[in-house]
Amino acid sequence: MKISFHGAARCVTGSKHLLTVKGNRKILLDCGMFQGMGNQTVALNNNWGFDPAIVNFLVLSHAHIDHSGLIPKLVKDGFNGKIFATPATKELTGVLLEDSAKIQEDDVKYVNKRRAAQGQPLLQPMYTKADAERAMDLFETVEYDNWFKIEDGVELLYTDAGHIIGSAAVHLRITENGKTEQVTFSGDVGRYRDMILRSPKEFPQADYILLESTYGNSLHDLHKPAFNELLDWITKICIQNRGKLIIPAFSVGRTQEILFALNQLELERRLPDLDYFVDSPLSIETTEIVKKYPGSFNKTIQKILQTDNDPFAFRGLKYIKNVEESKMLNFRNEPCVIISASGMAEAGRVKHHISNNVENSRNGILMTGYCEPNSLGARLQQGRKEVSIFGVNHEIHAQIGAIRSMSAHGDYEDLSQFLACQDASKVKMLFLVHGEYEVQEDFKERLLRKGFKDVTVPELHFETGLS
Ligand SMILES: [Zn+2]
């Protein structure tokens, strides 16, 4: 048995790990897209480091694009095996890949206009909507908590990772030459006190572990509850300034957390009487999917569901689907809250809302998640006087803020709790993936002190034998 690492190796995107078992059978763990890696991004996404055509199965941990975004390209490049996922992951991946394909096609159309004018050869999108649809035909769903036989000598178990709806830690029980060993891949690990989701679950003893390490050496700020921070911003911008509050939010996870927080404020009769818009067709679709899986919610939400059948809907909430309605928001003078994707404000309708509202000091822009250093979201937070959006310079007069207590990733304490079900002395090798290198080196030291004896931070395309 051997393993090689082809993404999320000393970085946080492009999750892809290839396990080779007896008979040269190849199992790919995740097929994520590299994102926000500057001018290396395209090259990284075009160099697999292995031949997709000889991969037998793909096991997907969750739907986020940095874990699923290259699936249509994998299929286009020759993969024709089964893709395993939990039912919610399959559903979410379907809408996210369709959206991703549309972005690829639109981007290339935009670039090709310029290339055609300059007489340069035209580019092809990395994949199309048709490629994404073809990939969805290969999915087979596997429920949580039941060992599932993939083929002789290879069994799969999904346990809830508490990161987004459908997210799972992947456990593979591999039998070779009469010996059975377990390889566990954490996927992304959620928090033990998530606003909406259940906590990550315990799992059987593993021989080898691939562990995410995004926040492997830090602790989240839990002192400022997100509910109160949100309310403070709404009060300041919409009630006192009579302005608009723009909230960029990831369509899966963060948007639902914000809606839940606002719903909660309404239940407590603290929510100001305003119009609250969710302006993102993708967020509308993903919120509908999230509502279909109440079994993944934590006990608090289960209890709320007994009296409130929709914990993501409240008075004043309006969903905006078409572009015309979205544009009408520009002409509104009344105060309101606009929640829109993408979370880093790099793409999507939120970019238009920011360009229309950033110059007015009555308005506010509230970031709610991690922003790549070059993204619009990050540039707004750097305290500059001006920002360029769609090639046009805008003076920044709106108030810019960020809520730091919202994260879908566990911190050091959460990751430690995730590992607490394991006897460290029985884990033969532990690999840290999905993290920045310095954080990983620090986390590695901490794990060695906890008794894990062999901890590796693999670099891109690193390969090693197991057992
Ligand atoms: Zn994720």
Side-chain angles (χ1 to χ4, degrees), residues 62 64 67 163 188:
H62 67 289
H64 276 150
H67 294 255
H163 168 65
D188 286 351

PDB file of all heavy atoms in Angstrom, residues 62 64 67 163 188, ligand 1:
ATOM      1  N   HIS A  62     -16.324  15.992   1.132  1.00  0.00           N
ATOM      2  CA  HIS A  62     -17.433  16.963   1.187  1.00  0.00           C
ATOM      3  C   HIS A  62     -17.460  17.813  -0.076  1.00  0.00           C
ATOM      4  O   HIS A  62     -16.580  17.709  -0.924  1.00  0.00           O
ATOM      5  CB  HIS A  62     -17.381  17.811   2.459  1.00  0.00           C
ATOM      6  CG  HIS A  62     -16.214  18.755   2.557  1.00  0.00           C
ATOM      7  ND1 HIS A  62     -14.923  18.325   2.767  1.00  0.00           N
ATOM      8  CD2 HIS A  62     -16.140  20.102   2.474  1.00  0.00           C
ATOM      9  CE1 HIS A  62     -14.116  19.364   2.829  1.00  0.00           C
ATOM     10  NE2 HIS A  62     -14.818  20.457   2.636  1.00  0.00           N
ATOM     11  N   HIS A  64     -17.268  21.164  -0.838  1.00  0.00           N
ATOM     12  CA  HIS A  64     -16.555  22.407  -1.138  1.00  0.00           C
ATOM     13  C   HIS A  64     -15.675  22.267  -2.384  1.00  0.00           C
ATOM     14  O   HIS A  64     -15.032  21.223  -2.581  1.00  0.00           O
ATOM     15  CB  HIS A  64     -15.681  22.834   0.057  1.00  0.00           C
ATOM     16  CG  HIS A  64     -16.449  23.604   1.090  1.00  0.00           C
ATOM     17  ND1 HIS A  64     -16.116  23.578   2.421  1.00  0.00           N
ATOM     18  CD2 HIS A  64     -17.509  24.435   0.980  1.00  0.00           C
ATOM     19  CE1 HIS A  64     -16.952  24.358   3.089  1.00  0.00           C
ATOM     20  NE2 HIS A  64     -17.805  24.882   2.239  1.00  0.00           N
ATOM     21  N   HIS A  67     -12.328  20.770  -2.604  1.00  0.00           N
ATOM     22  CA  HIS A  67     -12.280  19.312  -2.449  1.00  0.00           C
ATOM     23  C   HIS A  67     -12.953  18.573  -3.620  1.00  0.00           C
ATOM     24  O   HIS A  67     -12.723  17.379  -3.801  1.00  0.00           O
ATOM     25  CB  HIS A  67     -12.947  18.891  -1.129  1.00  0.00           C
ATOM     26  CG  HIS A  67     -12.185  19.371   0.065  1.00  0.00           C
ATOM     27  ND1 HIS A  67     -11.407  18.549   0.837  1.00  0.00           N
ATOM     28  CD2 HIS A  67     -12.034  20.616   0.575  1.00  0.00           C
ATOM     29  CE1 HIS A  67     -10.810  19.264   1.784  1.00  0.00           C
ATOM     30  NE2 HIS A  67     -11.183  20.524   1.655  1.00  0.00           N
ATOM     31  N   HIS A 163     -18.488  19.748   9.442  1.00  0.00           N
ATOM     32  CA  HIS A 163     -17.881  20.921   8.792  1.00  0.00           C
ATOM     33  C   HIS A 163     -18.899  21.678   7.926  1.00  0.00           C
ATOM     34  O   HIS A 163     -19.065  22.882   8.063  1.00  0.00           O
ATOM     35  CB  HIS A 163     -16.680  20.425   7.985  1.00  0.00           C
ATOM     36  CG  HIS A 163     -16.092  21.395   7.029  1.00  0.00           C
ATOM     37  ND1 HIS A 163     -15.488  22.571   7.426  1.00  0.00           N
ATOM     38  CD2 HIS A 163     -16.009  21.374   5.677  1.00  0.00           C
ATOM     39  CE1 HIS A 163     -15.044  23.214   6.351  1.00  0.00           C
ATOM     40  NE2 HIS A 163     -15.361  22.512   5.284  1.00  0.00           N
ATOM     41  N   ASP A 188     -12.290  18.000   5.934  1.00  0.00           N
ATOM     42  CA  ASP A 188     -12.207  19.204   6.770  1.00  0.00           C
ATOM     43  C   ASP A 188     -12.977  18.940   8.059  1.00  0.00           C
ATOM     44  O   ASP A 188     -14.098  18.433   8.023  1.00  0.00           O
ATOM     45  CB  ASP A 188     -12.797  20.421   6.050  1.00  0.00           C
ATOM     46  CG  ASP A 188     -11.874  20.927   4.948  1.00  0.00           C
ATOM     47  OD1 ASP A 188     -10.725  20.445   4.863  1.00  0.00           O
ATOM     48  OD2 ASP A 188     -12.301  21.808   4.181  1.00  0.00           O
TER      49      ASP A 188
HETATM   50 ZN    ZN B   1     -14.329  22.527   3.352  1.00  0.00          ZN
END
